[in-house]
Amino acid sequence: MLNPIKLLNKNFLSSLDMSAEEIFHILEIAKDFKNKDLNIELKDKVLGLIFDKSSTRTRVSFQVAMSRLGGTTVDLNPTTSQIERGEPIRDTARVLSRYCDVLAIRTFKQSDLEEYAKWSSKPVINALTDNEHPCQALADFMTIKEEFIDFKNVVLTFIGDGNNVANSLILCGALLDVEVRIACPRGYEPKSSIIDKAREIYRDKSLLKITNDPITAVQGANVLYTDVWSSMGEENQKEEKDKDFLGFTIDQNLVNNADKDAIILHCLPAYRAKEITDEVIESNKSRIFEQAENRMHVQQALLSSLLS
Ligand code: CP
Ligand code: NVA
């Protein structure tokens, strides 16, 4: 059994804010929390939640994680606080960090999240931006580790939009030395800055593959992962994206082309019959609900590390 370690970075704004060693440590502590082998008290500590976008899993898993640690949460609804009125982030961040011990923020622009972190005297956690979803990636790799024990020879194929979820998977995968393949329609590839950064981390190993062909991308893959085609904030592109992503659904045919012991992941919420079929979500290969549960365990590990 391990104890939380002090993380080198004050904030968790990107998957890149942790080293590989720190990620492994977080995953181990998360396992101990899950097995109820670890009892950390964060009594009197307060987590502030600022969510500019909807959320079920992230919001509730942070609330329950904090409550399991003996701390409390303040859910700041931007529409009923002065955030909606346009109070500058630098003022909000300076005030809230005098009340709270840590802030988890879900917003649109990564630069807004960085602005909060710049002015907050307390740690800031990325609870999803348009760029990244690093807490999700921690839960995803915890779920993969539960299945395959370690990451050696694991091939993770993400089929869908080169979006925030894909970006964090790519970066976290690179840190953990996992082969990551992205299959997306032409024009929906992840940003080149993310690809370049991952390739720099992998050094001379070519473990990141980007393709427009889902069938070849899943050959021999151990994990098939997808996310919605249109993310929050892209509602007006839905019709166009639904057309562009035809052929990128995780269905039984695609699953049959992967490794026979492959598992299926989805960060949720899902649009069934779009990016994934009902049959696949409900199949015995799906670890989607374990993955959702693991959000809570990794966030317990994250909070106790940031606040220890
Ligand atoms: N996966 C995830 O972040 O879900 P929510 O949008 O419900 O928080
Ligand atoms: N890519 C999705 C993830 C939701 C958890 C979005 O940003 O809406």
Side-chain angles (χ1 to χ4, degrees):
M1 196 178 43
L2 298 170
N3 274 316
I5 42 158
K6 184 113 196 88
L7 299 171
L8 204 61
N9 280 314
K10 173 185 145 225
N11 303 304
F12 187 49
L13 309 181
S14 158
S15 291
L16 294 175
D17 283 339
M18 275 188 211
S19 64
E21 292 69 31
E22 287 175 330
I23 297 172
F24 277 115
H25 200 89
I26 291 280
L27 299 188
E28 279 306 303
I29 301 173
K31 186 170 82 182
D32 290 341
F33 275 122
K34 188 169 184 174
N35 295 336
K36 302 204 171 18
D37 284 341
L38 193 59
N39 194 9
I40 305 284
E41 274 286 322
L42 293 184
K43 199 169 165 299
D44 300 332
K45 298 284 185 194
V46 180
L47 164 68
L49 299 172
I50 305 173
F51 278 54
D52 285 327
K53 296 174 175 174
S54 306
S55 170
T56 297
R57 280 143 288 270
T58 310
R59 186 199 306 275
V60 179
S61 57
F62 264 118
Q63 286 168 328
V64 178
M66 203 56 189
S67 137
R68 285 180 169 216
L69 292 165
T72 52
T73 329
V74 185
D75 194 356
L76 290 145
N77 179 347
T79 55
T80 54
S81 68
Q82 306 288 11
I83 296 171
E84 176 96 336
R85 168 191 171 277
E87 183 168 9
I89 290 174
R90 62 179 183 273
D91 294 353
T92 307
R94 277 181 287 184
V95 172
L96 292 181
S97 59
R98 283 168 185 252
Y99 304 146
C100 301
D101 300 285
V102 53
L103 299 171
I105 302 174
R106 169 168 288 198
T107 193
F108 293 84
K109 292 194 265 171
Q110 185 79 14
S111 56
D112 283 349
L113 181 77
E114 286 164 3
E115 176 81 354
Y116 272 108
K118 178 176 167 193
W119 292 97
S120 167
S121 56
K122 303 289 168 48
V124 172
I125 299 171
N126 182 346
L128 181 145
T129 60
D130 292 347
N131 261 33
E132 273 202 61
H133 199 1
C135 296
Q136 178 70 55
L138 290 177
D140 302 339
F141 282 102
M142 176 175 179
T143 314
I144 294 169
K145 199 161 180 287
E146 283 177 337
E147 194 68 31
F148 299 105
I149 317 300
D150 60 34
F151 299 122
K152 232 195 214 148
N153 303 322
V154 167
V155 175
L156 162 61
T157 298
F158 178 94
I159 297 135
D161 193 21
N163 63 9
N164 43 11
V165 169
N167 289 343
S168 287
L169 281 175
I170 290 173
L171 295 175
C172 202
L175 288 164
L176 299 175
D177 221 18
V178 174
E179 178 170 338
V180 178
R181 302 178 189 163
I182 307 289
C184 54
R186 210 169 291 282
Y188 292 103
E189 290 84 2
K191 282 188 196 170
S192 53
S193 57
I194 299 281
I195 296 174
D196 293 348
K197 190 69 214 174
R199 293 205 163 127
E200 187 187 316
I201 297 169
Y202 283 124
R203 301 221 194 136
D204 45 355
K205 293 182 224 148
S206 50
L207 291 179
L208 174 62
K209 295 174 178 130
I210 316 285
T211 170
N212 305 121
D213 178 7
I215 296 281
T216 54
V218 301
Q219 306 289 327
N222 309 99
V223 183
L224 304 192
Y225 193 129
T226 189
D227 180 21
V228 291
W229 293 338
S230 301
S231 286
M232 290 179 276
E234 296 182 335
E235 289 76 11
N236 60 358
Q237 297 172 42
K238 209 162 179 298
E239 222 171 290
E240 188 188 340
K241 288 185 99 174
D242 279 356
K243 277 192 220 133
D244 293 346
F245 280 79
L246 282 177
F248 286 81
T249 302
I250 300 194
D251 58 11
Q252 200 51 51
N253 177 45
L254 211 54
V255 174
N256 292 343
N257 277 279
D259 185 87
K260 67 172 186 13
D261 297 321
I263 59 165
I264 314 297
L265 299 181
H266 190 310
C267 57
L268 299 176
Y271 283 108
R272 289 169 185 241
K274 294 271 168 117
E275 74 274 6
I276 190 163
T277 61
D278 228 18
E279 187 187 12
V280 173
I281 292 192
E282 302 298 344
S283 73
N284 59 10
K285 288 176 171 293
S286 166
R287 298 292 178 275
I288 293 172
F289 296 98
E290 286 78 4
Q291 178 188 9
E293 178 186 332
N294 287 339
R295 295 293 310 275
M296 179 173 67
H297 304 303
V298 292
Q299 284 157 206
Q300 249 184 290
L302 176 66
L303 289 166
S304 48
S305 300
L306 286 174
L307 296 174
S308 68

